[in-house]
Amino acid sequence: MTSSGRSCSACMPTTCGTRRSPPVVDQPVSGMEGPPSGTPTLIRALLDVGGMKVAEIADVLTAIDDPVRPLHKVLGAAADRLATADTERDDTESAAAHAVVADLISRRGWQAHESAPAAVDLSKAIAARARLGHEAFVEVLDDYADAAEQIARADLAYVDRRVAVEGMVESVVIGTVLGEAVFSALRRLAHVDASAKLYGTEGPPERTTG
């Protein structure tokens, strides 16, 4: 009700006839009626920052609620939901990329399978680069893998140090999903810094021909 006595569109009716302002935090997420667990704030973060779909969030929360599922399996459930849904091409570049990823996993002794969603996403990205004439990107793939291992260790070390056992499952999921957004932002910041140091703030030097 406004000071002039008229109803305000931002207010809600009540059974007593008066009106009150709606809550502004922890709003329920459409399609998430009665989720297995997780506060509305957690769900909203996974939806807005993590970029997950409602059905994917429900699957992850179900995994969190499963008392017999090992922490490693819950982490896998969260990571798998981050995979892209793009159809993989059946061409020479895709076959070559699959071989590169399988070799990477084998050489580094990673306890992951080449058919895992993350491995498939990596293959698709490498194949896409190759189609654009950047086949040589595979020469720096191990540098990327080194950085990824360091980030993964930092993620889990933080959870192990800072989180009580009862909250560890949920925290690992948060770190996996929202960690993607954190690292992406940090990478962009590092790109700006590296570019400035390499080319200077005025931009890259002019290319000469002949």
Side-chain angles (χ1 to χ4, degrees):
M1 188 77 69
T2 65
S3 58
S4 61
R6 291 179 296 179
S7 296
C8 172
S9 60
C11 299
M12 300 188 303
T14 63
T15 55
C16 64
T18 60
R19 292 176 178 266
R20 59 183 175 82
S21 297
V24 295
V25 297
D26 284 355
Q27 297 286 346
V29 178
S30 176
M32 289 295 294
E33 292 81 3
S37 68
T39 65
T41 302
L42 168 61
I43 295 170
R44 180 61 66 184
L46 297 179
L47 185 70
D48 293 344
V49 183
M52 299 182 72
K53 298 178 180 178
V54 170
E56 294 169 340
I57 295 174
D59 289 343
V60 170
L61 295 180
T62 298
I64 292 176
D65 263 2
D66 188 346
V68 299
R69 186 176 303 201
L71 180 60
H72 176 67
K73 296 293 185 182
V74 176
L75 176 60
D80 288 352
R81 297 308 179 278
L82 296 175
T84 62
D86 299 336
T87 303
E88 193 170 14
R89 298 189 189 181
D90 183 13
D91 57 14
T92 302
E93 290 81 5
S94 291
H98 271 293
V100 167
V101 173
D103 177 66
L104 178 77
I105 293 173
S106 176
R107 284 189 296 101
R108 301 189 75 93
W110 285 353
Q111 298 184 49
H113 196 273
E114 60 190 78
S115 63
V120 173
D121 277 353
L122 178 57
S123 295
K124 288 189 287 189
I126 293 173
R129 281 178 175 266
R131 295 186 194 100
L132 294 171
H134 292 276
E135 300 91 340
F137 173 75
V138 297
E139 296 173 6
V140 298
L141 191 58
D142 274 292
D143 294 330
Y144 276 72
D146 289 340
E149 287 182 352
Q150 185 175 353
I151 293 296
R153 288 193 295 267
D155 282 343
L156 298 182
Y158 169 79
V159 171
D160 194 51
R161 289 196 313 266
R162 301 286 185 177
V163 181
V165 174
E166 58 270 19
M168 188 172 291
V169 174
E170 182 176 301
S171 294
V172 167
V173 170
I174 293 172
T176 299
V177 178
L178 302 189
E180 292 281 310
V182 170
F183 185 67
S184 177
L186 284 171
R187 183 171 179 260
R188 294 196 304 271
L189 286 171
H191 273 174
V192 173
D193 176 68
S195 176
K197 290 176 178 176
L198 181 61
Y199 303 121
T201 56
E202 300 301 321
E206 293 185 4
R207 297 182 181 180
T208 58
T209 59

